Amino acid sequence: MNGTLRAALIATERFTLEPLGVHHAAEMTEVLAGSALYKYIGGTAPTAQILAARYAAQALGTSPDGREIWLNWIIREQGRSIGFVQATVEADGPASDLAWVVGEAFQGRGAATEAARAMVAWLRLQHPPVRITASIHPENTASSAVARHLGLTPSGHLDADGEEQWNDSTPTP
Ligand SMILES: CC(C)(COP(=O)(O)OP(=O)(O)OC[C@H]1O[C@@H](n2cnc3c(N)ncnc32)[C@H](O)[C@@H]1OP(=O)(O)O)[C@@H](O)C(=O)NCCC(=O)NCCS
């Protein structure tokens, strides 16, 4: 496996996925404001300071033990940030756990689906073989729809946080 995999610029029909950097923190603080975004994923809106620290860590691109590759992209539309997509990838295996968040003002226009599709296509090209998963609260219908568009199916298994794992293949018993 390629332990040096790094997020690269990805262009979709409507958006640019920019590899996340600390410089995105100020603008993303506005995108991630409000409480509705956190209804199913937990947490609260981050301050600019917290987000800058988070982005500094994420931009390193790997977990401290080197087992995970952290790939994060800011979704940009006509020069402004509207959300992010991320993949936590096993450095020595096929597992890629995905997540997506789109700011409230920009939802319902297919942004998460378009960005996540592009991320998955990039991953399949750069880091094969890829086994995609996502953890989604059972009542999070918007996120479930995104996962379904990626070809994922719900496993029926809830984790300790009450989230259901979605997979792109039937897990081995
Ligand atoms: C989940 C999320 C990223 C979807 O973003 P989005 O850009 O609006 O998604 P899309 O426009 O690609 O829509 C995906 C599907 O969700 C549906 N959808 C969008 N908003 C919805 C809502 N509030 N309620 C129900 N369905 C909704 C859309 O109709 C679409 O389904 P369809 O393609 O079958 O018609 C966004 O709602 C969000 O950021 N939520 C908070 C964070 C979160 O829960 N992230 C997921 C972590 S697993």
Side-chain angles (χ1 to χ4, degrees):
M1 283 290 163
N2 181 0
T4 60
L5 184 70
R6 303 280 300 176
L9 197 72
I10 301 172
T12 77
E13 206 175 303
R14 290 180 292 165
F15 310 114
T16 304
L17 307 188
E18 260 178 35
L20 170 149
V22 176
H23 63 283
H24 289 116
E27 201 182 344
M28 283 300 290
T29 305
E30 287 177 38
V31 176
L32 300 177
S35 56
L37 283 185
Y38 307 93
K39 181 172 180 190
Y40 300 117
I41 60 176
T44 52
T47 62
Q49 204 177 10
I50 286 173
L51 205 55
R54 184 185 301 167
Y55 283 5
Q58 290 179 340
L60 293 176
T62 54
S63 59
D65 62 11
R67 290 183 181 185
E68 290 174 353
I69 303 170
W70 294 340
L71 304 172
N72 290 274
W73 288 268
I74 300 298
I75 309 171
R76 307 262 304 164
E77 180 179 26
Q78 294 174 349
R80 66 165 302 168
S81 302
I82 65 163
F84 69 86
V85 287
Q86 71 179 194
T88 305
V89 178
E90 226 179 354
D92 293 317
S96 295
D97 194 54
L98 308 185
W100 36 77
V101 173
V102 168
E104 262 186 271
F106 310 102
Q107 293 179 6
R109 299 177 307 129
T113 300
E114 189 170 323
R117 270 198 180 124
M119 170 173 66
V120 168
W122 184 91
L123 268 176
R124 291 197 196 287
L125 210 60
Q126 301 293 327
H127 195 67
V130 171
R131 184 166 54 80
I132 304 288
T133 58
S135 298
I136 301 173
H137 189 284
E139 289 164 21
N140 193 346
T141 47
S143 190
S144 300
V146 175
R148 209 168 278 115
H149 287 314
L150 298 179
L152 305 186
T153 51
S155 66
H157 174 75
L158 296 190
D159 65 20
D161 297 327
E163 291 189 322
E164 182 172 19
Q165 190 171 1
W166 288 59
N167 305 301
D168 64 354
S169 58
T170 312
T172 36

